[in-house]
Amino acid sequence: MLSAFKSIPTYMDYKGQKLAEQIFQGIILVSAVIGFIYGLFIQQFGWTVYIMLAGFTVSCFLTLPPWPMYRKNPLKWQPAVPEASGENRDKPQENQKKKKHK
């Protein structure tokens, strides 16, 4: 059961994060304007809040999961540098402390 959850990708690239933020803000803004106008027209503030909450719910559904449209530009990592074997594995600061000056 847990292996099925491990196969689900959980990341977004930087351009995907920017796109998700723009979609989120756009939906919130549109729902706020529609809710305000509708609430003003029927003179009920409650409908304004309901429309805002609906917009928030839709925007969360569209932007919180890492949909494939947010993973189109993965980062290209540099290959790992192999470690030097054996001799100098200490940190540079420790090497300097061990040396004695004459």
Side-chain angles (χ1 to χ4, degrees):
M1 175 90 177
L2 291 176
S3 62
F5 288 118
K6 289 181 181 180
S7 67
I8 299 172
T10 58
Y11 65 91
M12 279 188 204
D13 56 45
Y14 290 113
K15 290 183 181 181
Q17 289 175 2
K18 182 180 179 182
L19 177 63
E21 180 70 22
Q22 289 172 343
I23 290 171
F24 185 81
Q25 289 180 356
I27 292 173
I28 294 293
L29 180 65
V30 167
S31 67
V33 169
I34 291 171
F36 178 76
I37 292 170
Y38 185 72
L40 185 66
F41 181 70
I42 65 167
Q43 296 293 310
Q44 290 288 322
F45 182 71
W47 279 100
T48 301
V49 174
Y50 293 147
I51 293 172
M52 285 282 300
L53 287 174
F56 177 75
T57 304
V58 168
S59 64
C60 284
F61 177 73
L62 290 176
T63 59
L64 289 180
W67 298 110
M69 66 182 179
Y70 301 132
R71 293 184 275 125
K72 288 183 178 178
N73 303 304
L75 290 175
K76 293 179 178 67
W77 295 91
Q78 293 184 350
V81 177
E83 261 187 52
S85 60
E87 59 214 36
N88 240 350
R89 297 192 124 196
D90 294 335
K91 296 178 183 173
Q93 296 87 7
E94 292 174 3
N95 285 341
Q96 290 177 355
K97 290 179 184 176
K98 290 180 182 178
K99 293 181 183 177
K100 293 186 179 183
H101 299 288
K102 292 184 179 179

